Amino acid sequence: MLKKIIVVNPRHPEHAVIFVNDIKEKLKMLFVSTIRKTYPEMAGHMQQLIDGVKFIAKSDIQDAVSQADIIVTVTPSAAALIQADWVKPGTHINAMGADMPGKQELDENLYKTAVAVADDREQSAVSGETQVAVQKNILRKECIAEIGDILIGKAEGRTGNQDITIFDSTGLALQDLETAALVIERSNNTESGILVKL
């Protein structure tokens, strides 16, 4: 169960403080108050989940990274913010900020040992987080596994608890639409889930 989320904003540390001070109330408004009357049990469960997470703002990115089991990057950075030697074994990284040539959030040397996964190999190698590692011949494009291939057993992802894994999400609208359609279809077929108007 998720217990702690550390938020770092390298450009504006004060924004991280504002975010962590406001996020629980915003989550409760979005996910608890909208369903409280119709689904009180689910609302209570969501309330417990939100209350159980501690949100912490930090200004020291190295300290935050060195503690993390899961890292999510969502910045417009053009230079590596996270250095390879800061990341502990077993960490998973979702890199979502690099979505065009010239952007980079992670030290390309992470790819020397990490398992590289992307939503689309070609797109990732040209405009995603892996682009610098591919350009510098640290990572071969063919070694980037696609998430779909891992899901169907055609490629391997994490093979051990000490593996560092990096998912480079450059964004595929078609994949998002197909995933949403599948979730709705399965929800309808099993009569599970709750439709929430946001």
Side-chain angles (χ1 to χ4, degrees):
M1 179 180 277
L2 188 60
K3 293 186 177 167
K4 177 171 65 173
I5 295 177
I6 299 173
V7 179
V8 180
N9 185 327
R11 286 187 176 173
H12 303 285
E14 68 278 9
H15 291 183
V17 173
I18 293 167
F19 179 85
V20 299
N21 287 338
D22 295 343
I23 190 62
K24 281 194 178 189
E25 287 310 310
K26 288 181 179 179
L27 289 171
K28 288 175 189 176
M29 273 183 23
L30 283 171
F31 298 108
V32 178
S33 64
T34 56
I35 62 171
R36 188 179 308 276
K37 287 182 184 172
T38 313
Y39 303 99
E41 188 175 320
M42 175 64 82
H45 179 67
M46 293 298 293
Q47 174 93 32
Q48 283 182 318
L49 288 174
I50 294 167
D51 287 340
V53 177
K54 185 175 184 178
F55 290 87
I56 302 165
K58 288 199 176 231
S59 58
D60 184 340
I61 192 169
Q62 181 177 356
D63 181 45
V65 167
S66 67
Q67 294 180 46
D69 296 321
I70 299 171
I71 298 168
V72 179
T73 59
V74 189
T75 74
S77 182
L81 298 170
I82 295 176
Q83 300 305 307
D85 61 344
W86 299 352
V87 179
K88 67 182 182 179
T91 300
H92 174 73
I93 302 171
N94 288 322
M96 302 189 323
D99 56 1
M100 65 176 56
K103 286 188 172 183
Q104 180 184 15
E105 298 176 298
L106 307 175
D107 177 354
E108 64 273 12
N109 290 305
L110 269 164
Y111 286 103
K112 288 180 178 177
T113 57
V115 176
V117 180
D119 42 13
D120 181 271
R121 178 183 300 110
E122 297 296 325
Q123 188 168 294
S124 173
V126 172
S127 61
E129 189 60 48
T130 64
Q131 66 182 291
V132 175
V134 170
Q135 290 165 2
K136 292 185 175 182
N137 294 316
I138 293 169
L139 175 67
R140 289 190 357 256
K141 181 171 63 174
E142 303 78 44
C143 293
I144 303 169
E146 290 190 345
I147 190 72
D149 288 341
I150 291 172
L151 293 173
I152 63 171
K154 189 175 167 186
E156 278 192 334
R158 180 182 296 269
T159 58
N161 291 337
Q162 298 299 301
D163 289 354
I164 293 174
T165 53
I166 304 172
F167 176 62
D168 182 6
S169 175
T170 54
L172 296 176
L174 179 60
Q175 195 173 55
D176 295 342
L177 291 171
E178 282 298 315
T179 301
L182 180 62
V183 168
I184 291 169
E185 178 186 316
R186 288 194 178 165
S187 177
N188 288 338
N189 290 343
T190 60
E191 296 181 8
S192 61
I194 300 168
L195 179 62
V196 179
K197 292 182 182 182
L198 300 175

